[in-house]
């Protein structure tokens, strides 16, 4: 495979990413909840109001778990990934996947200390896949709150392998996944939801549960 000058895997994987701090307030958490649709259909919905308002004070509001995806944005606030050994066109970068593990409920406001590392690098020929893992700690208590793993699909940055075998590095052992067969039986429960007209697009979500499977559909 022809070598590309875009990525030097040895140099890139040797990098130690700097620690960063992300600070948020009750207002930030509430605005995020409103942005993803909380109380969009019913301003006093008891299940959703707790994320934007509390009668005893905003310091008691709850924070949506997906808010943790914002913690690592402080690492690369411009949206580009600038690391030694990595040359790519930021205009061709795609956010491929966001994986998260949650360990503790998030405080309504906090200062978050982020420790990041490169968790994966894969040569896909015409593109490269870069995985960055971020562990987020409560800066005051030191408690580990969550872990985010962001996958970036870098178009045009592949072809950097030195041998016929494409370069592939992962911090974690790959576990084979068996093929999932969708059951033909009717689900035990069905729930439908949709985004609001005020949001970027209108999408209807269809969730089904049965004994072993959770099925999610987008009905545009």
């Amino acid at each position: 495979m022809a070598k590309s000058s875009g990525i030097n895997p040895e140099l890139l994987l040797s990098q130690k990413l700097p620690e960063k701090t992300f600070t948020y307030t009750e207002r930030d958490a509430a605005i995020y909840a409103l942005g993803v649709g909380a109380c969009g259909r019913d301003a006093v919905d008891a299940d959703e109001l707790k994320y934007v308002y509390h009668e005893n004070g905003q310091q008691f509001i709850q924070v949506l778990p997906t808010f943790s995806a914002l913690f690592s944005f402080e690492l690369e606030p411009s949206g580009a990934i600038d690391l030694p050994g990595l040359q790519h066109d930021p205009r061709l970068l795609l956010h491929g996947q966001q994986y998260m593990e949650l360990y503790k409920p998030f405080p309504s406001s906090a200062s978050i200390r982020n420790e990041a590392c490169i968790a994966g690098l894969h040569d896909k020929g015409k593109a490269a896949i870069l995985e960055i893992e971020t562990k987020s700690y409560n800066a005051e208590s030191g408690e580990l709150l969550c872990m985010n793993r962001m996958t970036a699909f870098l178009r045009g940055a592949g072809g950097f392998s030195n041998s016929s075998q494409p370069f592939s590095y992962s911090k974690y052992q790959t576990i084979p996944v068996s093929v999932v067969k969708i059951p033909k039986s009717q689900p035990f429960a069905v729930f439908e939801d949709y985004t609001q007209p005020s949001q970027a697009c209108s999408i209807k979500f269809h969730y089904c549960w049965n004994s072993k499977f959770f099925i999610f559909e987008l009905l545009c």
Side-chain angles (χ1 to χ4, degrees), residues 19-114:
E19 288 188 8
K20 295 280 186 171
T21 300
F22 177 88
T23 301
Y24 67 91
T25 66
E26 297 93 340
R27 182 176 183 273
D28 298 322
I31 288 177
Y32 172 83
L34 291 170
V36 298
C39 299
R41 282 178 290 174
D42 183 356
V44 292
D45 186 313
D47 291 332
E48 299 180 0
L49 188 62
K50 60 189 177 186
Y51 299 113
V52 298
Y53 171 78
H54 197 285
E55 59 183 3
N56 295 326
Q58 289 301 87
Q59 68 270 26
F60 297 107
I61 66 169
Q62 296 182 30
V63 180
L64 282 169
T66 51
F67 185 66
S68 67
L70 304 183
F71 293 171
S72 58
F73 280 8
E74 191 68 19
L75 294 169
E76 297 296 338
S78 65
I81 302 175
D82 185 15
L83 293 170
L86 175 64
Q87 295 181 19
H88 69 98
D89 187 341
R91 296 172 299 179
L92 301 179
L93 184 153
L94 296 175
H95 186 176
Q97 186 181 47
Q98 189 76 26
Y99 171 86
M100 60 183 64
E101 293 182 358
L102 310 173
Y103 310 122
K104 299 281 186 179
F106 303 139
S108 57
S109 63
S111 181
I112 304 297
R113 176 172 57 84
N114 290 311

Side-chain angles (χ1 to χ4, degrees), residues 1-208:
M1 185 177 294
K3 180 176 175 59
S4 167
S5 60
I7 293 180
N8 182 330
E10 291 78 14
L11 177 59
L12 178 58
L13 294 175
S14 68
Q15 300 304 310
K16 180 175 175 59
L17 277 62
E19 288 188 8
K20 295 280 186 171
T21 300
F22 177 88
T23 301
Y24 67 91
T25 66
E26 297 93 340
R27 182 176 183 273
D28 298 322
I31 288 177
Y32 172 83
L34 291 170
V36 298
C39 299
R41 282 178 290 174
D42 183 356
V44 292
D45 186 313
D47 291 332
E48 299 180 0
L49 188 62
K50 60 189 177 186
Y51 299 113
V52 298
Y53 171 78
H54 197 285
E55 59 183 3
N56 295 326
Q58 289 301 87
Q59 68 270 26
F60 297 107
I61 66 169
Q62 296 182 30
V63 180
L64 282 169
T66 51
F67 185 66
S68 67
L70 304 183
F71 293 171
S72 58
F73 280 8
E74 191 68 19
L75 294 169
E76 297 296 338
S78 65
I81 302 175
D82 185 15
L83 293 170
L86 175 64
Q87 295 181 19
H88 69 98
D89 187 341
R91 296 172 299 179
L92 301 179
L93 184 153
L94 296 175
H95 186 176
Q97 186 181 47
Q98 189 76 26
Y99 171 86
M100 60 183 64
E101 293 182 358
L102 310 173
Y103 310 122
K104 299 281 186 179
F106 303 139
S108 57
S109 63
S111 181
I112 304 297
R113 176 172 57 84
N114 290 311
E115 295 182 358
C117 68
I118 297 175
L121 177 64
H122 312 279
D123 188 349
K124 294 298 182 179
K126 293 183 178 180
I129 291 178
L130 178 67
E131 300 172 85
I132 297 181
E133 179 182 288
T134 304
K135 290 185 177 180
S136 300
Y137 299 82
N138 186 317
E140 182 177 351
S141 67
E143 286 185 307
L144 176 61
L145 299 178
C146 63
M147 184 273 285
N148 275 273
R149 193 177 306 130
M150 186 274 291
T151 299
F153 188 80
L154 309 175
R155 293 179 293 161
F160 58 84
S161 301
N162 287 319
S163 65
S164 58
Q165 184 69 26
F167 182 92
S168 183
Y169 162 78
S170 179
K171 182 180 176 181
Y172 301 95
Q173 182 178 0
T174 302
I175 301 175
V177 178
S178 59
V179 177
V180 175
K181 294 182 179 180
I182 298 177
K184 296 181 180 179
S185 60
Q186 291 298 314
F188 295 137
V190 175
F191 173 74
E192 292 187 3
D193 200 2
Y194 56 88
T195 57
Q196 302 301 310
S198 60
Q199 294 178 276
C201 62
S202 181
I203 301 176
K204 187 176 183 180
F205 303 91
H206 187 83
Y207 307 87
C208 301

